[in-house]
Amino acid sequence: MTSERAAIRLQTIRSVPEYNTMNRVGSLDFSTTSSTPPLTEDGKINYEKGEFYTNPPVATCSRKQAVFIIGLILATLLTCSLIIAFVRPSHCGHVEEGLDFHEDVAVTPPPEAIATNGEPFPWNDVRLPDFIVPLRYSVVLHPNLTTLFLRGQMEVVFAVQKETNFIVFHGKDVTLTVVMVKDKNMREIMTTRTLYYPYHQQIYIELKNYLMPGNNYSLALRYEGMVRTDLEGLYISSYKSPGGVKRYLVTTHFQPTSARSAFPCWDEPNYKARFKIGVVRQRNYVALSNMPLDNTEDVSIFWGSGLVQDNFHESVPMSTYLVALVVCDYGRIHEVTKTGVTLSIYAPPHMTSQADFALKAAVKLFDYFQSFFGFSYPLPKLDLISMPDFAAGAMENWGLAVFRESALLMDNNTTSSSAKQRVVLILAHELAHQWYGNLVTMKWWDDLWLSEGFASFAEYIGVHHIFPEWAMMDQFLHSNTMPALRTDALSTSHAVSVTVSDPIEIEAIFDTISYSKGASIFYMLQRVLGEEIMRRGLMLYLERHQFGNANMDDLWQALSLGTLNSSHPVPVKDMMDTWTHQLGYPLVTLRRHGNMIHASQKHFLLVNSSLHGVNSSHKWHVPLSFTTSAAPNIESQIWMRDPLSLRASDINFEIPMNVSWIKANVNASGYYRVNYEPAIWQSLIRVLANQPTTFSPADRAQLIDDAFTLAWAGMLNVTVPLTLSQYLVNETEYLPWSTALYHLRKLDTVLSIRTARRSLHCFVRHLVTPLYSIMGWTTKVPHIQSLLQRELLEAAVYFGLSSAVNEARRLFTQWMSGQVQLPPDIRDIVYSTGIKYGGWTEWDYCWQRYKETNVPDERLNFLRALAASNDPWILQQYLDFAMERNSIRVQDIRKVVESVAQNPVGSLLVWRQLQTRWNMIEVTFGRASFTIGRLILAAVSHFHDPLDLKSVQTFFRNVNVGSGKRSLMQSLELIQANINFLNKNDRQLEQWLNRNSPRC
């Protein structure tokens, strides 16, 4: 859409009565007669939420009619009150008592097991029978990029372990045209019927004769299907050449359960088999798969004129979700690792120069992990390929890992330090999977965390090795432990090891708990065992289970064996079972009695959940570490368990009488929170105020995070974290600042229409000014300092520090006029500021730049910045562009929604958009997509008004959100937590901020 036509569309939207009604909030009138709505002092719209849900009057009545109606209403209310009083027990006290965040979530019961032809489907289990085991697949695929028609033929050799006259396997949206079963002597066994059951995505083949145990058989199939368009299975993607020509390609994304839509198979991770893949393609394309190319043959006579078939070498045993195939016209760069493995990166020909950094980093990481795991990579090559459309950030397919363009490609002239770090972390994650996840795979998806949690931990170890100056293990706390603790404080969270069965449930656990909590408890375990013992145990685990499947008990056994020769053997399974099978984590509370410290633990929850079915008696084996003023640099550790029974428990321990402070959970290496009695909190605050470097940056960040979170849960006076944060005027490290600013922005969100918000902005401006005066906008600083500078500049602009805002606007004006090239580390901040304080001209200029650039990170910069506008009509247009896929890819819709939702002006627009376009969202992403849940969280989890909560509950009460069910329940719980926080602390916040914020 050109700029002129976009402007016409914007004016058209403004003139539509529905939009004017929807966006007339409070006493503001956003009709076309008023060009700009009233703003607050920081440039944001002032509005009352109640009006957002209030419709204009639609009818009038006489006085008599009004009296009659009022009387009828009063009688109805009296009747309802009597029913409530005598039929149901009443609940008094806090608003959160008795809430059940599960009750308003629609659940669709499974249908009766009826096949598509109306016959009963004989196998009524979502899991496949375990008595048929596939051994070897030979699959040939012909995806037609013009018609999107998919044809395939395949043969599977399988072993039978129990006498049977039927075969059940997975198939989704495929139709079998030829079915043939043969014994080992190639004698055909007749089939009597073939049934399809789409609900379980299963195909049932009944045989005339029985298959006998101990024998191998073959199943030959021909089938038809479609090349998909929803970023799952085998799907089509495209990119534009520098000349504007649209080029098409086909790629795959099979994790967790989409291989079955590309070819019929036993699509469960424990059914490992060898794969020999063939693909029919046009001559001007190249095909890639897990293994190197074996041969290419002309198949025009069989498949069509001008077509060839690439046949790849047979793979090692692997799970179906790791099979990969790409047909494209990409370019390639490559290097050879120390052990002779060819490592290549594929990208559109005009973008291969953006892969240089990733290739060098990938080779270093590959060599490191091969040494770390002590096991040679078993394939002859590893290809990394960028994909224009990819739902996940990346996927570890064995030998052919697929990445979003922004996760693999970067331009040194435009890519920020944080984006560069993101590329290396994602590379490390997928490379770690080549051993841990691919070589040894979980038996079933309930141990998904075992694969993803470890890779999320190992990525930081790998990047720390090649870039030690980046302080990655400190950043691990901010990127993994803290986000996990936030999600896991909800009663609607789940244990890392959780029972799942169908594709919807499996998709739902690709979440913060499986990734970040899994990583955090691995980190805690390494701190307990020691790096070398941990490494030896991992090597033993890989050696024992190579090319097979394992569960977490297999890992605990291998790690326990590594501790047998140590002076302090650790019962790894006993310890880790308390962290993997239980929901949540403990809050450890320290109380001092002379020279004795009493440490107690209880399940920490953000919202009172006594009626949620949560077991409040949970106890954990906590490795409680601490330091004291007597020896600040010496870490002590004590287990919170009974010394006789070895069961988790509360404990007492001694400290010297002259100790003035004690700080627990040293460097935040344990997965738990710590609360202290008031006197200990005051002693820690004094140390931060006078000698903050007494504590490490990780310890300072943890004190900030725990204090704010405990206040949010109502367990700590809200003035404690605010008083503690006053020390930040002397803080110069990234980790404490990033932690504090997260909480201060969250506080700003819930105060968006409260009078205390102005004082909060003054308070934050006072905190950031000293360091801002030192760092300013100079960008040639070390990596970790550049991350700090970004946090600081973003906060200075967000909270309205005039010198920062003015400088950002000046830079934006110069950039628009072509006078300057913005440094990579500050450009998105400048873009956002220019759009926020600008109008349509500034917004459209950045929109055009977004459409023109071919640098992935720059596109993300613009996507975020375009959401910063203060004009609700522009934001509405932007959301329409995203939902209608106008120059915005499907994979980026969530980024647009998240960014607009974080803008107070756009928050309720996003919620309205989600409601009006819900059917389109379901069609685009499907109920079995993890994206559904993330869209819900992005759109509503920050709400903090009872009207918002009621609106969300009402809309979703009869909506089946599929894999987004848990995210919806968590969103409702987060909204309630925000409401509770404001109800309890609104007045006290205002009083404290007014007293302690300088006038501005």
Side-chain angles (χ1 to χ4, degrees):
M1 181 179 290
T2 66
S3 175
E4 181 181 0
R5 291 177 62 195
I8 292 172
R9 174 177 169 77
L10 180 60
Q11 183 62 37
T12 302
I13 291 175
R14 285 181 168 176
S15 66
V16 176
E18 180 185 352
Y19 279 87
N20 293 333
T21 299
M22 181 186 73
N23 292 287
R24 197 179 70 234
V25 288
S27 59
L28 305 180
D29 186 356
F30 291 166
S31 66
T32 55
T33 58
S34 176
S35 59
T36 305
L39 304 178
T40 60
E41 80 285 346
D42 58 353
K44 292 177 180 169
I45 289 181
N46 187 16
Y47 58 88
E48 293 293 336
K49 275 201 190 127
E51 294 289 339
F52 188 84
Y53 300 111
T54 304
N55 294 319
V58 294
T60 59
C61 60
S62 68
R63 182 172 180 175
K64 289 183 179 180
Q65 289 172 323
V67 170
F68 174 76
I69 292 171
I70 292 172
L72 182 62
I73 292 172
L74 290 174
T76 303
L77 289 173
L78 177 62
T79 303
C80 292
S81 300
L82 291 171
I83 292 172
I84 292 171
F86 291 101
V87 176
R88 296 184 63 185
S90 61
H91 296 285
C92 302
H94 296 297
V95 67
E96 74 267 21
E97 291 288 347
L99 280 174
D100 186 349
F101 302 108
H102 302 252
E103 65 182 4
D104 289 326
V105 178
V107 178
T108 302
E112 189 178 356
I114 300 296
T116 53
N117 65 353
E119 295 182 29
F121 193 81
W123 184 259
N124 192 18
D125 190 335
V126 70
R127 296 289 300 274
L128 297 177
D130 59 3
F131 47 79
I132 292 182
V133 180
L135 304 175
R136 178 175 283 105
Y137 292 80
S138 179
V139 183
V140 178
L141 297 161
H142 177 208
N144 190 310
L145 275 65
T146 303
T147 64
L148 301 187
F149 190 65
L150 173 67
R151 289 190 293 168
Q153 60 185 37
M154 58 182 290
E155 183 180 44
V156 188
V157 176
F158 60 90
V160 175
Q161 299 176 346
K162 173 185 172 182
E163 184 177 330
T164 179
N165 70 332
F166 66 88
I167 306 169
V168 182
F169 50 89
H170 288 115
K172 178 183 179 183
D173 299 329
V174 296
T175 301
L176 306 185
T177 58
V178 174
V179 178
M180 185 178 297
V181 180
K182 293 183 178 180
D183 63 18
K184 62 182 178 180
N185 296 316
M186 302 305 294
R187 292 190 296 260
E188 184 176 355
I189 301 171
M190 299 300 296
T191 61
T192 56
R193 59 175 177 162
T194 300
L195 302 175
Y196 301 85
Y197 184 39
Y199 186 78
H200 284 169
Q201 301 170 4
Q202 291 174 349
I203 300 174
Y204 176 96
I205 295 177
E206 190 172 80
L207 305 171
K208 184 176 182 180
N209 299 319
Y210 278 83
L211 308 180
M212 305 309 294
N215 292 323
N216 291 350
Y217 298 84
S218 67
L219 170 66
L221 303 172
R222 288 187 182 178
Y223 63 94
E224 297 173 348
M226 296 297 294
V227 177
R228 304 179 69 89
T229 60
D230 57 0
L231 311 189
E232 293 186 353
L234 188 146
Y235 67 91
I236 192 167
S237 182
S238 66
Y239 71 92
K240 284 187 178 180
S241 69
V245 178
K246 200 168 191 178
R247 306 292 299 172
Y248 291 96
L249 60 148
V250 164
T251 186
T252 57
H253 181 60
F254 289 162
Q255 190 185 45
T257 59
S258 291
R260 63 191 69 174
S261 67
F263 58 93
C265 57
W266 280 254
D267 202 9
E268 296 179 5
N270 55 308
Y271 288 121
K272 285 194 168 184
R274 297 179 182 272
F275 292 85
K276 187 172 178 57
I277 302 295
V279 61
V280 178
R281 61 169 176 85
Q282 295 176 344
R283 293 182 185 274
N284 57 333
Y285 278 75
V286 63
L288 303 170
S289 189
N290 305 84
M291 297 297 289
L293 182 67
D294 184 8
N295 62 74
T296 299
E297 55 185 316
D298 190 312
V299 291
S300 300
I301 193 171
F302 301 107
W303 294 98
S305 177
L307 298 180
V308 297
Q309 179 175 318
D310 287 336
N311 299 306
F312 298 91
H313 286 283
E314 188 175 68
S315 74
V316 296
M318 63 183 184
S319 302
T320 49
Y321 78 88
L322 294 171
V323 175
L325 176 68
V326 175
V327 180
C328 63
D329 62 351
Y330 278 7
R332 171 195 182 222
I333 62 173
H334 68 282
E335 286 190 13
V336 178
T337 68
K338 290 180 180 179
T339 52
V341 175
T342 301
L343 201 156
S344 305
I345 293 185
Y346 288 83
H350 64 288
M351 298 176 73
T352 54
S353 62
Q354 298 182 40
D356 291 337
F357 174 80
L359 180 61
K360 290 180 173 58
V363 170
K364 292 177 183 177
L365 288 165
F366 183 96
D367 290 335
Y368 170 73
F369 281 130
Q370 181 140 280
S371 171
F372 178 84
F373 289 119
F375 196 99
S376 294
Y377 178 74
L379 307 184
K381 61 96 177 178
L382 173 57
D383 298 332
L384 315 176
I385 186 166
S386 71
M387 202 52 56
D389 299 288
F390 199 66
M395 177 60 204
E396 66 269 16
N397 311 308
W398 216 353
L400 178 56
V402 182
F403 297 74
R404 280 193 185 187
E405 289 179 344
S406 60
L408 189 64
L409 307 179
M410 53 166 282
D411 184 331
N412 284 325
N413 296 320
T414 59
T415 300
S416 65
S417 299
S418 58
K420 183 184 296 185
Q421 178 176 295
R422 183 180 69 247
V423 166
V424 183
L425 281 170
I426 294 173
L427 276 171
H429 185 101
E430 307 312 326
L431 290 175
H433 269 314
Q434 301 301 309
W435 288 267
Y436 202 101
N438 295 4
L439 180 65
V440 179
T441 311
M442 67 265 165
K443 289 182 178 176
W444 181 243
W445 295 107
D446 51 9
D447 275 332
L448 170 70
W449 79 274
L450 202 61
S451 174
E452 297 298 349
F454 181 81
S456 299
F457 167 58
E459 70 186 66
Y460 280 80
I461 297 176
V463 177
H464 174 72
H465 175 78
I466 66 172
F467 293 114
E469 70 278 12
W470 287 9
M472 292 310 300
M473 298 319 294
D474 275 354
Q475 292 193 59
F476 177 89
L477 170 62
H478 177 68
S479 302
N480 282 283
T481 306
M482 288 180 180
L485 290 170
R486 290 171 200 140
T487 300
D488 215 17
L490 304 176
S491 66
T492 47
S493 180
H494 63 86
V496 288
S497 181
V498 59
T499 300
V500 290
S501 56
D502 62 45
I504 288 178
E505 292 176 344
I506 295 167
E507 281 279 0
I509 61 171
F510 282 78
D511 62 2
T512 303
I513 299 302
S514 296
Y515 284 73
S516 294
K517 180 179 180 177
S520 299
I521 61 178
F522 270 119
Y523 180 45
M524 177 173 64
L525 181 59
Q526 179 184 271
R527 295 283 298 219
V528 170
L529 299 180
E531 292 182 13
E532 188 53 35
I533 291 177
M534 181 86 163
R535 181 170 169 269
R536 288 203 305 266
L538 291 170
M539 292 168 63
L540 178 60
Y541 172 76
L542 292 176
E543 182 183 345
R544 283 183 167 185
H545 303 286
Q546 56 183 294
F547 302 112
N549 299 84
N551 58 31
M552 61 182 176
D553 283 347
D554 296 318
L555 177 60
W556 305 153
Q557 184 181 40
L559 291 171
S560 294
L561 290 174
T563 71
L564 292 180
N565 296 326
S566 68
S567 56
H568 300 286
V570 177
V572 176
K573 176 175 167 54
D574 292 342
M575 170 194 171
M576 295 305 292
D577 278 354
T578 66
W579 296 99
T580 57
H581 291 301
Q582 296 181 156
L583 164 78
Y585 58 88
L587 170 66
V588 176
T589 301
L590 300 190
R591 295 178 177 84
R592 183 173 182 175
H593 306 281
N595 68 333
M596 294 297 296
I597 296 291
H598 176 69
S600 60
Q601 62 163 293
K602 70 173 183 178
H603 187 180
F604 175 74
L605 290 167
L606 195 61
V607 177
N608 186 318
S609 301
S610 57
L611 299 182
H612 294 171
V614 175
N615 187 351
S616 59
S617 65
H618 282 169
K619 297 287 185 181
W620 288 262
H621 285 257
V622 179
L624 180 62
S625 59
F626 63 91
T627 59
T628 69
S629 59
N633 298 319
I634 297 178
E635 176 182 343
S636 301
Q637 180 178 294
I638 187 169
W639 284 96
M640 293 189 69
R641 62 189 180 204
D642 184 278
L644 298 178
S645 66
L646 297 182
R647 293 179 179 175
S649 67
D650 299 346
I651 58 167
N652 296 300
F653 59 93
E654 287 187 72
I655 58 172
M657 281 296 295
N658 63 346
V659 163
S660 59
W661 57 261
I662 181 172
K663 159 72 177 66
N665 197 5
V666 179
N667 291 319
S669 59
Y671 188 74
Y672 54 92
R673 293 198 184 278
V674 183
N675 197 5
Y676 305 90
E677 64 182 11
I680 300 178
W681 271 118
Q682 291 306 313
S683 67
L684 293 171
I685 290 173
R686 283 194 296 270
V687 175
L688 284 173
N690 298 316
Q691 294 178 307
T693 55
T694 301
F695 303 129
S696 68
D699 279 331
R700 302 199 295 271
Q702 186 222 1
L703 286 170
I704 294 167
D705 191 52
D706 282 354
F708 272 103
T709 305
L710 291 168
W712 217 270
M715 298 179 181
L716 190 65
N717 191 296
V718 73
T719 63
V720 173
L722 291 172
T723 303
L724 184 153
S725 64
Q726 288 178 305
Y727 98 93
L728 289 167
V729 292
N730 297 314
E731 181 59 77
T732 59
E733 295 288 342
Y734 166 71
L735 189 56
W737 265 116
S738 61
T739 304
L741 289 171
Y742 165 83
H743 287 286
L744 292 169
R745 287 192 189 99
K746 182 180 178 182
L747 190 56
D748 177 72
T749 298
V750 299
L751 293 178
S752 59
I753 57 173
R754 308 288 174 130
T755 55
R757 187 169 188 248
R758 179 182 176 86
S759 297
L760 174 66
H761 281 220
C762 294
F763 177 65
V764 178
R765 290 199 288 265
H766 168 69
L767 296 180
V768 303
T769 296
L771 191 55
Y772 172 79
S773 300
I774 295 171
M775 300 196 77
W777 296 82
T778 303
T779 58
K780 291 186 178 180
V781 294
H783 178 84
I784 195 68
Q785 288 295 99
S786 72
L787 301 183
L788 170 61
Q789 184 184 43
R790 276 186 51 79
E791 289 279 354
L792 193 71
L793 293 177
E794 200 168 33
V797 170
Y798 180 88
F799 288 101
L801 185 63
S802 58
S803 56
V805 172
N806 292 338
E807 178 63 11
R809 296 181 70 181
R810 184 186 70 81
L811 289 169
F812 184 86
T813 301
Q814 290 183 332
W815 170 72
M816 269 191 71
S817 62
Q819 299 176 44
V820 297
Q821 284 290 330
L822 296 174
D825 285 327
I826 66 170
R827 59 177 49 201
D828 63 326
I829 301 171
V830 174
Y831 297 159
S832 297
T833 308
I835 289 174
K836 176 179 178 179
Y837 291 93
W840 172 253
T841 300
E842 290 78 9
W843 191 93
D844 188 57
Y845 183 83
C846 289
W847 172 246
Q848 299 306 323
R849 300 292 81 74
Y850 161 76
K851 292 194 291 184
E852 292 169 2
T853 184
N854 67 356
V855 179
D857 182 57
E858 186 74 336
R859 287 204 297 264
L860 288 179
N861 287 338
F862 282 123
L863 282 177
R864 288 189 292 263
L866 289 164
S869 175
N870 271 325
D871 189 332
W873 309 109
I874 291 177
L875 293 178
Q876 182 65 54
Q877 164 124 329
Y878 188 34
L879 289 170
D880 287 341
F881 283 171
M883 294 298 182
E884 295 165 9
R885 308 184 204 178
N886 181 350
S887 301
I888 295 176
R889 294 185 178 276
V890 171
Q891 67 181 20
D892 294 324
I893 291 176
R894 181 165 62 92
K895 175 59 66 178
V896 174
V897 169
E898 288 174 344
S899 300
V900 177
Q902 290 168 5
N903 182 343
V905 182
S907 175
L908 294 178
L909 293 177
V910 168
W911 172 224
R912 178 63 60 89
Q913 188 84 293
L914 198 72
Q915 295 174 83
T916 57
R917 294 183 182 268
W918 183 258
N919 290 338
M920 184 222 75
I921 290 170
E922 277 194 328
V923 171
T924 301
F925 297 106
R927 288 179 181 170
S929 167
F930 63 83
T931 305
I932 289 285
R934 296 181 185 181
L935 283 172
I936 294 171
L937 279 167
V940 305
S941 63
H942 57 282
F943 285 172
H944 49 272
D945 188 291
L947 281 172
D948 297 331
L949 178 61
K950 182 65 176 176
S951 175
V952 177
Q953 289 172 322
T954 301
F955 176 75
F956 283 113
R957 182 166 287 121
N958 297 310
V959 174
N960 181 0
V961 297
S963 61
K965 176 184 174 183
R966 191 181 303 277
S967 295
L968 173 57
M969 295 189 296
Q970 291 174 351
S971 295
L972 294 171
E973 191 169 359
L974 287 167
I975 297 170
Q976 187 63 61
N978 296 340
I979 294 170
N980 296 345
F981 176 80
L982 280 178
N983 287 344
K984 182 173 183 177
N985 298 296
D986 187 23
R987 184 171 180 79
Q988 193 173 17
L989 270 171
E990 184 176 358
Q991 292 173 347
W992 190 95
L993 287 169
N994 287 340
R995 286 196 310 268
N996 293 277
S997 301
R999 291 190 177 185
C1000 58

